[in-house]
Amino acid sequence: MKITRIELIPITVDRIYHTRVAQAGMEGDGKSGSRYVILELMTESGFLGIGEISDLEDAWNVRSAEDLRAPYEEAVLGGESLECRALCDRFVEILPDDTHPEMARMMTAALEMALLDIAGKHYSVPVYELFGGRRQDRLDVSWVAYIRGAELLVDE
């Protein structure tokens, strides 16, 4: 199943409150939104795989979605979607040298997510089955107490 189309869709999700980010030196009012890029891979068989580049930071020197498209097209377009490891390795090889390390990890993770999504659809199984099956029925999630005054955290 060759990959025939690649789309990158930038989105911003508003935050409930401005979030001050420690890496940014906690300067200013903080972030009012979280930026993401959704990666869509389409195969010749019509399967759509979706991945996500999460919560982008300005410090990562994020390029536009159009600029991000080039390495995906070079590494993946026309490639066999079920050859996940080979496509991800090729992608990492051709990323520009000036790509921020965290951005490179996020971009590679998005590609792997989309390829695994396609594989799950191809084999008609949830992606967790590709990893040996379900291991648990619930997952604990932690809540991040963003950097704000203690009086604002009490109610939360």
Side-chain angles (χ1 to χ4, degrees):
M1 288 187 308
K2 294 197 181 305
I3 296 170
T4 57
R5 185 175 58 83
I6 298 170
E7 296 292 331
L8 288 123
I9 305 157
I11 61 171
T12 300
V13 177
D14 291 337
R15 291 182 177 225
I16 295 169
Y17 48 78
H18 289 296
T19 305
R20 295 173 67 196
V21 180
Q23 306 104 288
M26 300 181 342
E27 295 179 13
D29 291 334
K31 295 169 62 171
S32 61
S34 294
R35 296 181 306 150
Y36 302 85
V37 176
I38 304 301
L39 169 65
E40 294 183 346
L41 303 178
M42 179 66 75
T43 69
E44 61 191 348
S45 305
F47 290 122
L48 175 67
I50 299 174
E52 166 196 38
I53 304 171
S54 299
D55 210 2
L56 302 171
E57 295 290 342
D58 291 335
W60 299 350
N61 301 319
V62 179
R63 296 173 175 92
S64 71
E66 279 306 308
D67 289 341
L68 291 176
R69 177 189 308 276
Y72 284 111
E73 286 183 342
E74 183 178 340
V76 176
L77 199 58
E80 287 296 329
S81 62
L82 298 179
E83 295 178 2
C84 184
R85 182 74 290 125
L87 290 176
C88 287
D89 289 347
R90 169 87 174 121
F91 180 74
V92 169
E93 286 175 12
I94 60 97
L95 273 175
D97 291 338
D98 65 344
T99 305
H100 188 281
E102 188 63 22
M103 187 65 185
R105 283 188 288 274
M106 296 299 249
M107 291 175 71
T108 306
L111 175 58
E112 188 172 29
M113 279 182 244
L115 292 170
L116 288 168
D117 190 21
I118 290 169
K121 291 171 180 171
H122 172 76
Y123 293 114
S124 299
V125 297
V127 171
Y128 64 77
E129 290 294 343
L130 302 174
F131 293 102
R134 184 187 307 235
R135 300 282 187 220
Q136 57 198 49
D137 291 323
R138 68 186 291 265
L139 178 66
D140 292 329
V141 177
S142 65
W143 180 263
V144 177
Y146 289 105
I147 303 166
R148 298 179 292 143
E151 68 283 352
L152 295 175
L153 293 174
V154 171
D155 291 337
E156 192 171 297

